[in-house]
Amino acid sequence: MNYVSTRGAWRDAPQPFCAILLEGLAPDGGLAVPERYPAFEAGELERLAGAPYRDIALAVLSKFIGDIPAADLQAMIGRAYTAGKFGGDAIVPVRELEPGLALLQVSNGPTLAFKDIALQLLGELFEYALAREGRRITILGATSGDTGSSAEVAMRGRKGIDVFMLSPHGRMSPFQQAQMYSLADANIHNLAVEGTFDDCQDIVKAISADAAFKRRYAIGAVNSINWARIAAQVVYYAHGWLAARKSADGVVDVAVPSGNFGNILAAHVAKRMGVPLRRLILATNENDVLDEFFRTGRYRPRSAAETHATSSPSMDISKASNFERYVYDVVGRDPAAVRALWTKLAEEGGFDLSGTGAWKAVAASGFVSGTSTHADRIATIRAVDRRYGVVVDPHTADGVKVGLEHRDPAVPLLCVETALPAKFAATIREALGRDPSRPASFEGLESRPQHRTVIANDADVVRAFIASHAQPVA
């Protein structure tokens, strides 16, 4: 399996997996995508029913990774997905709330968020590829709350890796901040940017587009612009379908809280590979750019001033990076069309696909959407607790609320649990009048010493900080 860019780079010389693993953005500013989506052979997926999560991961990931020997990939999967890291051998439990309604619990990893599923594996992949090629890498990332801690825990202390993580100053929960800023490893650098997550993401893209700087410091990515993140998440949709289906070949609907679009893009990819997912139910919070698109065909990212700070902060995103990969699919995988749309986006602030062939492809792709507000989150947390005795975090509550709005009683609904409630104590306290439980290892987290540098919302300032703290390689 080789890879090209959504904007046309590498079409004459498709890149192997390990090359795009370490690359981040393509040279043309696009995102790496497979030349084609691999497909499950007849009966192949069904034969994995009841298999351990690690076996399903090997079956799926082998389709995307052709330049790592199977035995090496299997060993990395084994180290990434252990009972010790994920609280049990299930790795991703499927918890039935009632017949036909279940939670896909992808949030049991070391930082209590779904990002651990991909980033524990990414840490193994990075270390393997760097050692094999005798290289080092400077990881530059942006986080709205969960990616940062998941990436830093996965990369802390690894040889040949320095991490510079940008986060929006004052816009994460106290738990999320403490998870990141309490790490004191020499290779971890936390930069609190005076702006929004979108500002952080724009800085990452600007620096990654600086070819000379990127080459000098070997800049790579752990955000979901890195295709390996998406591939790793495809696994749990195959696993979830196997656990939730009503019959051997029955379809399942999935409801996914969405910010940067990577999580639900993985569901889209799983569907394109042949996993029988019917509707992909996208839930936004008050930052409803993606809901507006799937209802109207208009894509209009908001400015920083228009981006709301909400009680589901990891979804406080207006410009979803992975949306470009989806648009690439619905315009017929035509990079010229993607370039034209992103030029229009830059010049006019948006584009409109309604009334086009691409809009017909959107309708055929199975996406539906909806929005959830703070009041909706509080009501959903209360209802799920009262009805099922389960406490969900505010992002999961967004997904459950919108999922239930679109629920078809004849089709199982799988709601993705994206984080554990311990990370968002203030919202849980408001909803239920009590603090959420937290693992013993996180007791007193917020009182631990924190290490971070508050920095201006300026790519040049960030660039200078990296140059003064990272080891150049070229």
Side-chain angles (χ1 to χ4, degrees), residues 258 261 264 268 282 284 287-302 318 320 322-331 341-342 345 350-371:
S258 193
F261 201 73
I264 201 163
H268 165 73
L282 178 146
T284 68
N287 298 294
D288 60 352
V289 172
L290 293 171
D291 176 48
E292 181 180 65
F293 171 79
F294 284 106
R295 287 187 295 101
T296 69
R298 294 189 301 273
Y299 180 61
R300 186 182 67 85
R302 313 298 193 253
S318 175
N322 277 285
F323 187 63
E324 182 171 336
R325 285 183 168 122
Y326 175 73
V327 171
Y328 178 74
D329 282 347
V330 298
V331 298
L341 288 171
W342 257 254
L345 179 62
F351 55 77
D352 190 345
L353 296 185
S354 63
T356 68
W359 186 238
K360 293 179 182 177
V362 170
S365 68
F367 274 84
V368 294
S369 66
T371 297

Side-chain angles (χ1 to χ4, degrees), residues 69-412:
D72 291 347
L73 180 59
Q74 185 175 31
M76 284 186 275
I77 289 169
R79 291 193 296 271
Y81 302 130
T82 66
K85 290 178 180 178
F86 287 89
D89 283 324
I91 310 300
V92 177
V94 175
R95 179 169 184 169
E96 186 178 73
L97 300 179
E98 64 181 53
L101 177 64
L103 292 177
L104 182 65
Q105 296 184 303
V106 292
S107 53
N108 294 326
T111 72
L112 316 184
F114 79 96
K115 312 294 179 73
D116 290 324
I117 295 288
L119 284 160
Q120 283 297 314
L121 179 65
L122 200 62
E124 296 289 338
L125 288 167
F126 271 161
E127 195 166 53
Y128 175 91
L130 292 170
R132 188 170 73 172
E133 299 178 22
R135 295 173 55 185
R136 60 179 298 109
I137 193 170
T138 300
I139 291 172
L140 176 61
T143 183
S144 56
D146 290 330
T147 290
S149 55
S150 292
E152 290 176 354
V153 168
M155 304 296 170
R156 64 189 305 190
R158 290 190 184 269
K159 294 180 180 178
I161 299 175
D162 284 306
V163 179
F164 293 82
M165 189 61 62
L166 312 186
S167 58
H169 183 45
R171 282 181 172 249
M172 299 186 296
S173 76
F175 189 104
Q176 288 175 309
Q177 290 180 126
Q179 271 192 308
M180 291 176 58
Y181 301 161
S182 63
L183 297 179
D185 302 74
N187 70 325
I188 302 297
H189 306 272
N190 279 304
L191 304 181
V193 175
E194 294 176 317
T196 67
F197 168 77
D198 290 323
D199 294 325
C200 297
Q201 190 160 250
D202 286 344
I203 290 172
V204 170
K205 290 181 177 179
I207 294 176
S208 297
D210 181 341
F213 189 86
K214 181 178 180 179
R215 183 170 54 253
R216 179 167 174 75
Y217 291 98
I219 302 290
V222 290
N223 283 64
S224 54
I225 61 173
N226 191 309
W227 177 260
R229 285 270 307 269
I230 305 302
Q233 290 171 247
V234 170
V235 176
Y236 56 68
Y237 288 106
H239 162 75
W241 173 77
L242 286 166
R245 60 191 175 147
K246 285 184 176 179
S247 60
D249 57 355
V251 296
V252 170
D253 290 344
V254 292
V256 189
S258 193
N260 217 19
F261 201 73
N263 200 352
I264 201 163
L265 178 77
H268 165 73
V269 173
K271 182 173 181 174
R272 292 287 296 262
M273 293 174 68
V275 179
L277 304 178
R278 188 187 63 156
R279 285 190 300 190
L280 311 180
I281 304 170
L282 178 146
T284 68
N285 62 13
E286 292 88 339
N287 298 294
D288 60 352
V289 172
L290 293 171
D291 176 48
E292 181 180 65
F293 171 79
F294 284 106
R295 287 187 295 101
T296 69
R298 294 189 301 273
Y299 180 61
R300 186 182 67 85
R302 313 298 193 253
S303 67
E306 295 174 289
T307 301
H308 304 285
T310 77
S311 54
S312 50
S314 297
M315 293 159 61
D316 291 349
I317 297 171
S318 175
K319 291 178 277 188
S321 285
N322 277 285
F323 187 63
E324 182 171 336
R325 285 183 168 122
Y326 175 73
V327 171
Y328 178 74
D329 282 347
V330 298
V331 298
R333 310 197 106 223
D334 179 357
V338 173
R339 290 196 302 271
L341 288 171
W342 257 254
T343 297
K344 190 177 184 71
L345 179 62
E347 294 175 350
E348 301 178 19
F351 55 77
D352 190 345
L353 296 185
S354 63
T356 68
W359 186 238
K360 293 179 182 177
V362 170
S365 68
F367 274 84
V368 294
S369 66
T371 297
S372 176
T373 67
H374 177 74
D376 293 326
R377 285 187 279 284
I378 296 299
T380 301
I381 291 167
R382 287 173 178 163
V384 172
D385 179 55
R386 181 177 62 252
R387 191 172 304 164
Y388 308 115
V390 174
V391 180
V392 295
D393 90 290
H395 306 79
T396 305
D398 287 333
V400 170
K401 182 263 184 181
V402 176
L404 292 176
E405 289 177 340
H406 290 281
R407 187 181 184 186
D408 180 342
V411 177

